[in-house]
Amino acid sequence: QVQLVESGGGSVQAGGSLTLSCVTSGFTQRPYRMAWFRQLSGQEREGVALIAPSNITRYAASVIGRFTISRDDTKNTMSLKMNNVKLEDTATYYCAADTRVGFQTTSAGAPVAHDYTHWGQGTQVTVSS
């Protein structure tokens, strides 16, 4: 059974840093693409960043220069380093993965939710002033 488990969420002051982690298990084939999404209650899930083999990355425009996505396939983990966080980064963050080759993005370069089969349960990030 495939599982994705996020950790690292919490409360942080604006301008601070936070690192989210996602541990995967149960995959019979290594995920090709992995991504982070975020969602506020009542709103659509928003793509934040994705990573594919050879460290190909894509980011939502709102996080470029502040967030860094990485993965360690030897440890079945993916991380999101969040620097200089802003109030608008407050959300529940989800990791996602898919084994199919290739990836889709919005016209602005962000990952799209329907491109991912497997999802974690989410971790809350709250940014305060």
Side-chain angles (χ1 to χ4, degrees):
Q1 180 181 359
V2 171
Q3 286 191 319
L4 288 75
V5 180
E6 303 96 337
S7 62
S11 298
V12 59
Q13 286 193 320
S17 298
L18 203 64
T19 298
L20 306 182
S21 297
C22 175
V23 178
T24 70
S25 61
F27 280 97
T28 57
Q29 179 181 347
R30 181 176 299 170
Y32 182 87
R33 56 185 176 275
M34 301 183 72
W36 288 96
F37 290 80
R38 63 188 181 187
Q39 188 174 25
L40 286 172
S41 179
Q43 297 187 16
E44 290 191 4
R45 198 161 290 190
E46 173 192 23
V48 176
L50 73 85
I51 187 165
S54 301
N55 278 328
I56 294 172
T57 57
R58 298 289 187 270
Y59 294 90
S62 61
V63 306
I64 290 174
R66 300 189 300 121
F67 291 10
T68 301
I69 189 171
S70 61
R71 65 191 284 181
D72 184 344
D73 290 333
T74 66
K75 298 180 180 179
N76 297 327
T77 60
M78 175 180 63
S79 297
L80 184 70
K81 175 67 172 176
M82 306 166 63
N83 291 327
N84 189 24
V85 296
K86 302 178 179 181
L87 294 176
E88 54 265 38
D89 293 324
T90 294
T92 300
Y93 283 71
Y94 298 88
C95 67
D98 202 286
T99 59
R100 293 170 294 177
V101 174
F103 58 85
Q104 298 180 41
T105 66
T106 65
S107 58
V112 292
H114 65 72
D115 203 27
Y116 295 82
T117 303
H118 306 286
W119 293 84
Q121 293 300 306
T123 186
Q124 177 66 36
V125 172
T126 302
V127 182
S128 61
S129 59

